[in-house]
């Protein structure tokens, strides 16, 4: 399946961007009459036929559309403090998109070592992972958000904090509710501060453990994402 990200597709005739046109005709070596697929990132999956294999303006005829392609009946939201080494955070985004994540919020915490992000680069990685894994939805990536601001708006019945203190004894499974949204907070490399943990508890956010091992930030975030997807497969199979 040759898949292209086309968020603006809304007509029967569509012209790929110059970058995607070059990729289609020069890299993939597709030509007139070949079938390609378009995804708009919000559940639309389109089947199209190449009409004009122009290297700058490849013209397509859309012949079929599926709506809510690959839509999941639950929301997985990972709120994570980005690592100092962005390669590790980019790795997390790529793998989380492949597994299935609805939303990622980047948290600015007291122990955060990274206080700036290039969201445009992270979005490109998410788009690439969406195409590679043939997903119909592009996860929402939120800007770097101060931790205390985030928890004030969080829904406590659906939000959980993973930290390294001894009082985090229950797992995500203990709180999991099928077909409900779930948000897991993952702290920076130095973990959440005591004040941040106390503020989460005061807001009604419950602690969870991700196991006995001490995990890197990006590993913990991916474990949380994968755990929620496995629980969904167990308790709410499609």
């Amino acid at each position: 399946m040759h898949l292209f990200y086309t968020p603006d597709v809304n007509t029967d005739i569509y012209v790929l961007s110059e970058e995607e046109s070059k990729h289609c005709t020069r890299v993939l070596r597709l030509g007139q009459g070949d079938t390609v697929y378009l995804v708009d990132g919000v559940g639309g999956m389109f089947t199209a036929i190449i009409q004009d294999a122009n290297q700058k303006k490849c013209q397509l005829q859309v012949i079929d559309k599926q709506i809510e392609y690959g839509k999941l009946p639950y929301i997985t939201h990972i709120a994570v403090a980005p690592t100092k080494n962005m390669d590790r955070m980019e790795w997390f985004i790529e793998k989380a998109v492949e597994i299935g994540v609805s939303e990622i919020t980047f948290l600015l915490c007291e122990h955060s070592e990274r206080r700036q992000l290039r969201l445009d680069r992270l979005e490109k990685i998410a788009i690439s992972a969406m195409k590679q894994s043939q997903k119909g939805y592009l996860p929402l990536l939120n800007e770097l958000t101060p931790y205390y601001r985030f928890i004030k708006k969080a829904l406590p019945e659906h939000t959980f904090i993973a930290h390294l203190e001894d009082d985090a004894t229950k797992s995500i499974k203990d709180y999991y509710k099928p077909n409900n949204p779930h948000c897991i907070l993952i702290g920076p490399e130095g973990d959440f501060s005591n004040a941040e943990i106390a503020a989460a508890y005061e807001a009604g956010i419950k602690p969870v453990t991700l196991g006995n091992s001490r995990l890197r930030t990006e590993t913990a975030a991916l474990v949380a994402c994968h755990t929620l997807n496995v629980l969904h497969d167990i308790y709410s199979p499609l």
Side-chain angles (χ1 to χ4, degrees), residues 110-189:
E110 292 182 21
H111 296 160
S112 290
E113 294 188 86
R114 174 165 289 277
R115 297 178 175 273
Q116 290 183 331
L117 285 178
R118 282 190 54 193
L119 199 61
D120 57 339
R121 174 172 171 77
L122 300 180
E123 287 174 342
K124 287 181 180 179
I125 290 170
I127 290 169
S128 178
M130 175 188 68
K131 291 164 59 179
Q132 188 277 329
S133 56
Q134 299 181 8
K135 303 289 186 187
Y137 289 85
L138 180 66
L140 176 63
L141 301 185
N142 295 314
E143 291 275 7
L144 198 61
T145 304
Y147 172 84
Y148 293 107
R149 182 194 303 171
F150 182 85
I151 63 172
K152 283 182 179 179
K153 297 181 179 180
L155 300 175
E157 65 271 25
H158 301 305
T159 306
F160 308 92
I161 182 170
H163 60 68
L164 300 175
E165 298 299 319
D166 293 339
D167 57 341
T169 58
K170 291 190 175 183
S171 68
I172 297 172
K173 178 183 176 182
D174 295 320
Y175 296 111
Y176 181 79
K177 295 180 180 178
N179 300 331
N180 274 261
H182 295 82
C183 177
I184 311 294
L185 310 183
I186 306 294
E189 284 129 319

Side-chain angles (χ1 to χ4, degrees), residues 22-109:
K22 288 180 180 178
H23 183 71
C24 178
T25 59
R26 297 177 64 179
V27 178
L28 299 177
R29 298 187 179 279
L30 298 176
Q32 184 176 353
D34 286 333
T35 301
V36 297
Y37 298 87
L38 314 177
V39 61
D40 61 8
V42 290
M45 178 68 79
F46 305 80
T47 305
I49 303 296
I50 297 176
Q51 285 190 328
D52 181 6
N54 188 294
Q55 294 185 5
K56 292 186 176 181
K57 296 181 178 180
C58 185
Q59 183 172 296
L60 312 174
Q61 171 73 51
V62 177
I63 61 173
D64 184 56
K65 176 184 178 181
Q66 299 179 60
I67 60 173
E68 297 187 344
Y69 178 83
K71 184 177 182 179
L72 299 174
Y74 63 96
I75 294 174
T76 297
H77 183 179
I78 303 297
V80 57
T83 53
K84 183 178 181 179
N85 183 342
M86 279 307 296
D87 288 346
R88 286 161 42 188
M89 192 54 39
E90 291 171 5
W91 174 86
F92 158 68
I93 292 170
E94 179 183 73
K95 303 312 175 188
V97 173
E98 290 177 15
I99 291 171
V101 66
S102 310
E103 185 173 359
I104 298 172
T105 296
F106 301 102
L107 296 177
L108 181 59
C109 300

